[in-house]
Amino acid sequence: MSIRTSLGIASALAIATATAGHAQDLSGTVTIATVNNGDMIRMQGLTADFNAQYPDITLEWVTLEENVLRQRVTQDIATRGGQFDVMTIGTYEVPIWGENGWLVSLNDLPDAWDADDLLPAIRDGLTVDGELYAAPFYGESSMVMYRTDLMEAAGLEMPEAPTWEFIREAASAMTTDNTYGICLRGKAGWGENMAFLSAMANSFGARWFDEDWNAQFDSEEWANTLNFYMGMMGEYGPPGAANNGFNENLSLFQQGRCGMWIDATVAASFVTNPDDSTVADQVGFALAPDNGLGKRGNWLWAWSLAVPAGSQQTDAAKAFIAWATSKEYTALVAENEGWANVPPGTRTSLYENADYLEAAGFAEMTLRSINSADPTQPTVDPVPYTGVQFVAIPEFAGFATEVGQEFANALAGQQSVEVALERAQALTTDAMESAGY
Amino acid sequence: MATKASRTAARLMLAPAVILLLGWMMVPLTMTVIFSFKRYLPMRGGDLGWVGFENYVRFVNSSAFWPAVQSTLMIVGGVLLITIVLGVLLAILLDQPMWGQGIVRILVIAPFFVMPTVSALVWKNMFMDPVNGLFAHLWRFFGATPVSWLSEASMPSIILIVSWQWLPFATLILLTAIQSLDSEQLEAAEMDGASPLSRFIYITLPHLARAITIVVLIQTIFLLAIFAEIFVTTQGAFGTRTLTYLIFQRVLESQNVGLGSAGGVYAIILANILALFLMRIVGKNLDR
């Protein structure tokens, strides 16, 4: 072999090796669909840090309002549209989409990402048959947020784990001309009033379906749940509560108009932020109420990042997800924005971090609430579905919103609880038959 | 006079536009009709085969169907009544010579430029909110209990919001019609001793008939598809779920494309029945 030939072969080998090496480098454009929540906007602002590590990956953001995002990503994945490489989805979508084979497994994320550090309840909610299909960006449960000054003035002391009876008693004691004893979701929607009422119903022993998928709105437990809710809201709730969702109640609480508010744990940082809340230093926290039946009325949710099965940029998308949901990302946010603003509710290590625990007075109650929710066994009696405040089947969003409308009508005084329950039973049964159950 | 050749040339030149427009209309319409005969569930494997008229039967037998039709007709009727009555009065008022007429006209027309979602949000949060809304403050000022407008008087509230948006359109059309009214005719009637009311009933109103017909026809077409205002304010609760909203729920929220498509076909039929009815009753004004 001549020198020239040898050099030629050597050069060819060198080029081939370099090309192979280059192929393993991560590059390309990753299109991310996400929700316009503050935490996600912050993530978008930190793109430069990601690009410092992965200069060849371009991130393209599609930031949408929650309802629009849901519709866009659902349409995209159901029609195999392939518009997005990373989707921000909730705990409701992950089990359904994972089971359909529409998501890429994230079991192979790097060891340094530390999957074992994820909070077990959150991780379980995103896992189907042992495969993790989405990485949690932030997680939440629900808990009682209450005004410590009004409690004191009423001569009551909030237990760490109150009962519903105590909540009603406290609501009565805290109601004045300017303050409503309790603010709860009433706005119709599967993610609005039905999220709250489904979680509340769990603590009353009610459930959406029995083990044979028969709707259960004709049960005594649902009647008890709804009568208690309507009674308490009618007497001590704000006017027009049937139009109040998370944002409306947040605004009322921040204005000092609510004695108690039972809602998402992420709201804790908003109501204790002196820039936004007039009652920032007078807020206490307690676990969501129960009825002594072994289940509390709190839910479980995580906004998570997932890769749709049709993505052409799977590796780059995974690299982005590993970055955005890592411990290092949390530290990066803490460095830029302070510990109280880091995405909460996903990792055990965050709740062992002294800096975070000091900055976020609500951290311990948030963790206890998240850990006390079990999406695999959400109710007192057994059920065939997973999900605490939802039923993880595709049809749920549709019929639960309609049930929510019936309950909102009842809260607005347009129909009785009995009629609302009868209609809920009929339309749920109809929807389930239509879906082939 | 067009020759045979020029007519052929005109047809040829128009053909691309006509074909494009027909396609634009026919493709979604045909797909809706096809889907309506299928069990099409995107979240459960997509197209699951033909089911005949099952979706039609199911849609019309659902407890939500007739209330939705009723709500749709109530909104259309309510908004038409308010916008035409107030539109005529406003048009007459704006036709009078007055100081700052230009600014007043712009102010009256302004709501039409506001996006439906924005106006619905403004009405919901700034006016109708039972705690912080302007109406609640007014009610409290006079010692009354604030009304939860969107839940206690949901239908009138929606009609009010939509009327506010469509009133400028009606006013504008009616104002241009009034401006074309021959003033000599009115003066003659006045000299003959006709009262203002008689002049309005026997001269102005008949003159406005054609403009009113146009308002009724155009508004009906748009109001049958009303969606944004309901989505923003009540999300279909409190008896405000229209046929369009029900179809949205079936297709996008319940992910049942077949059932929603059957609803879409019903909506087309309803719109055509209404259009035929309108053309027969009021549309004859256009022939004159």
Side-chain angles (χ1 to χ4, degrees):
Chain A
M1 195 186 290
S2 71
I3 292 175
R4 253 176 93 178
T5 316
S6 306
L7 276 174
I9 291 171
S11 307
L13 277 172
I15 291 167
T17 315
T19 315
H22 185 71
Q24 284 187 345
D25 280 348
L26 293 170
S27 61
T29 300
V30 174
T31 308
I32 304 153
T34 194
V35 64
N36 63 349
N37 290 353
D39 289 287
M40 281 70 173
I41 302 286
R42 196 173 286 137
M43 167 168 64
Q44 202 170 333
L46 295 169
T47 301
D49 181 84
F50 174 76
N51 280 132
Q53 295 176 47
Y54 299 96
D56 296 331
I57 299 178
T58 308
L59 299 183
E60 266 186 16
W61 297 87
V62 181
T63 311
L64 301 162
E65 190 268 325
E66 184 175 329
N67 289 332
V68 183
L69 171 87
R70 276 216 177 94
Q71 282 163 15
R72 281 280 297 276
V73 296
T74 306
Q75 289 300 99
D76 189 57
I77 202 140
T79 57
R80 321 286 191 272
Q83 285 180 50
F84 308 111
D85 301 301
V86 174
M87 291 175 166
T88 307
I89 53 179
T91 320
Y92 168 59
E93 286 89 2
V94 176
I96 302 169
W97 295 6
E99 207 164 289
N100 280 356
W102 291 350
L103 299 174
V104 173
S105 167
L106 299 181
N107 274 10
D108 58 350
L109 287 184
D111 288 344
W113 183 69
D114 197 1
D116 294 334
D117 186 38
L118 296 178
L119 293 173
I122 296 284
R123 188 176 168 171
D124 286 350
L126 305 174
T127 304
V128 182
D129 297 332
E131 299 284 339
L132 183 72
Y133 281 111
F137 184 70
Y138 75 73
E140 65 171 38
S141 181
S142 55
M143 63 183 172
V144 181
M145 291 165 272
Y146 65 95
R147 289 274 301 281
T148 49
D149 55 332
L150 296 179
M151 270 301 226
E152 202 179 317
L156 292 170
E157 194 178 334
M158 175 69 80
E160 275 189 356
T163 61
W164 281 108
E165 266 316 315
F166 178 83
I167 293 291
R168 178 149 70 180
E169 190 190 328
S172 164
M174 284 198 271
T175 301
T176 63
D177 285 347
N178 289 318
T179 313
Y180 313 108
I182 187 147
C183 296
L184 299 174
R185 294 185 185 193
K187 185 195 250 178
W190 75 269
E192 286 283 6
N193 64 344
M194 290 319 295
F196 176 80
L197 281 167
S198 298
M200 180 180 175
N202 292 343
S203 67
F204 274 75
R207 52 189 175 161
W208 270 87
F209 300 103
D210 68 8
E211 286 177 289
D212 298 320
W213 291 103
N214 297 309
Q216 294 295 296
F217 287 104
D218 51 2
S219 66
E220 196 187 333
E221 288 84 2
W222 263 108
N224 292 341
T225 309
L226 225 52
N227 279 316
F228 187 92
Y229 167 81
M230 299 289 175
M232 187 163 67
M233 288 298 281
E235 284 189 66
Y236 317 119
N243 285 308
N244 291 352
F246 174 81
N247 285 321
E248 289 81 359
N249 284 324
L250 171 64
S251 171
L252 285 172
F253 196 92
Q254 286 179 329
Q255 291 166 28
R257 308 299 294 267
C258 302
M260 288 178 289
W261 178 31
I262 305 173
D263 214 301
T265 49
V266 287
S269 67
F270 307 142
V271 294
T272 52
N273 183 345
D275 293 339
D276 301 322
S277 174
T278 58
V279 293
D281 54 352
Q282 292 156 342
V283 187
F285 304 97
L287 290 176
D290 75 345
N291 261 341
L293 298 174
K295 293 286 174 192
R296 308 203 76 84
N298 58 308
W299 66 63
L300 188 73
W301 185 258
W303 275 118
S304 310
L305 303 175
V307 185
S311 169
Q312 302 296 312
Q313 302 288 347
T314 311
D315 290 336
K318 281 184 182 175
F320 167 75
I321 289 177
W323 169 80
T325 56
S326 65
K327 288 183 240 181
E328 289 73 25
Y329 175 83
T330 307
L332 181 70
V333 176
E335 193 185 316
N336 288 327
E337 313 273 347
W339 275 104
N341 290 311
V342 303
T346 62
R347 289 184 171 275
T348 310
S349 56
L350 182 66
Y351 293 90
E352 289 163 353
N353 183 319
D355 293 330
Y356 180 65
L357 295 178
E358 195 188 324
F362 45 82
E364 191 214 336
M365 202 54 78
T366 300
L367 181 66
R368 283 178 64 186
S369 298
I370 289 175
N371 283 338
S372 71
D374 181 358
T376 56
Q377 288 178 331
T379 50
V380 175
D381 293 325
V383 285
Y385 55 84
T386 56
V388 180
Q389 76 281 24
F390 55 81
V391 177
I393 57 171
E395 294 76 16
F396 179 78
F399 64 70
T401 295
E402 291 188 47
V403 170
Q405 286 173 348
E406 298 299 338
F407 291 173
N409 285 1
L411 184 60
Q414 291 193 353
Q415 65 185 12
S416 67
V417 167
E418 289 72 31
V419 172
L421 285 169
E422 268 171 35
R423 290 188 174 174
Q425 177 74 11
L427 70 90
T428 309
T429 306
D430 189 39
M432 293 301 275
E433 276 174 14
S434 180
Y437 278 86
Chain B
M1 195 178 166
T3 61
K4 196 177 172 188
S6 69
R7 271 201 299 263
T8 312
R11 277 189 197 127
L12 274 174
M13 281 188 272
L14 275 174
V18 172
I19 290 167
L20 196 70
L21 280 172
L22 265 179
W24 196 263
M25 202 175 70
M26 292 310 290
V27 169
L29 190 65
T30 312
M31 284 177 77
T32 305
V33 174
I34 291 172
F35 283 143
S36 70
F37 290 107
K38 286 190 161 211
R39 186 172 152 78
Y40 196 93
L41 305 168
M43 305 297 287
R44 291 204 177 273
D47 188 352
L48 302 175
W50 301 96
V51 288
F53 284 91
E54 191 188 304
N55 287 325
Y56 287 91
V57 175
R58 201 177 276 280
F59 193 88
V60 89
N61 282 333
S62 124
S63 58
F65 177 71
W66 287 109
V69 172
Q70 203 181 341
S71 302
T72 311
L73 296 178
M74 270 176 78
I75 289 179
V76 173
V79 175
L80 281 179
L81 188 72
I82 292 174
T83 50
I84 288 170
V85 171
L86 290 182
V88 169
L89 295 177
L90 267 175
I92 292 171
L93 187 73
L94 289 176
D95 192 40
Q96 307 301 314
M98 63 169 125
W99 186 79
Q101 195 180 42
I103 292 172
V104 173
R105 280 183 187 173
I106 288 171
L107 283 177
V108 170
I109 294 163
F112 203 52
F113 303 126
V114 183
M115 282 195 295
T117 36
V118 176
S119 86
L121 274 173
V122 168
W123 275 93
K124 181 185 173 218
N125 295 325
M126 291 179 69
F127 295 112
M128 292 175 165
D129 187 276
V131 178
N132 295 315
L134 182 70
F135 294 164
H137 285 297
L138 272 176
W139 258 244
R140 274 195 288 268
F141 180 77
F142 290 108
T145 311
V147 180
S148 301
W149 293 97
L150 288 165
S151 48
E152 285 170 20
S154 45
M155 198 50 106
S157 301
I158 300 256
I159 291 174
L160 177 69
I161 295 170
V162 180
S163 299
W164 179 81
Q165 277 182 274
W166 280 93
L167 185 57
F169 171 78
T171 309
L172 208 62
I173 302 276
L174 295 165
L175 178 63
T176 48
I178 279 190
Q179 284 175 341
S180 70
L181 179 60
D182 188 357
S183 59
E184 282 177 15
Q185 217 178 350
L186 282 172
E187 281 165 19
E190 196 177 351
M191 282 169 73
D192 286 345
S195 68
L197 189 66
S198 303
R199 272 179 274 149
F200 173 73
I201 292 173
Y202 294 109
I203 299 176
T204 313
L205 212 50
H207 179 76
L208 288 179
R210 190 177 286 198
I212 290 174
T213 307
I214 289 171
V215 172
V216 170
L217 281 175
I218 293 179
Q219 282 196 179
T220 305
I221 292 163
F222 280 93
L223 293 174
L224 279 173
I226 190 161
F227 179 79
E229 292 83 349
I230 296 167
F231 184 74
V232 170
T233 54
T234 60
Q235 306 233 308
F238 320 120
T240 60
R241 183 164 49 185
T242 58
L243 200 51
T244 321
Y245 203 90
L246 186 63
I247 294 164
F248 157 77
Q249 283 196 326
R250 293 289 178 267
V251 175
L252 278 171
E253 285 185 355
S254 301
Q255 288 288 320
N256 194 332
V257 178
L259 193 61
S261 299
V265 175
Y266 277 125
I268 294 166
I269 293 168
L270 176 74
N272 277 294
I273 291 173
L274 266 179
L276 270 175
F277 173 76
L278 284 171
M279 290 301 276
R280 276 178 177 265
I281 303 294
V282 291
K284 58 188 172 194
N285 283 326
L286 294 173
D287 297 337
R288 278 188 283 163

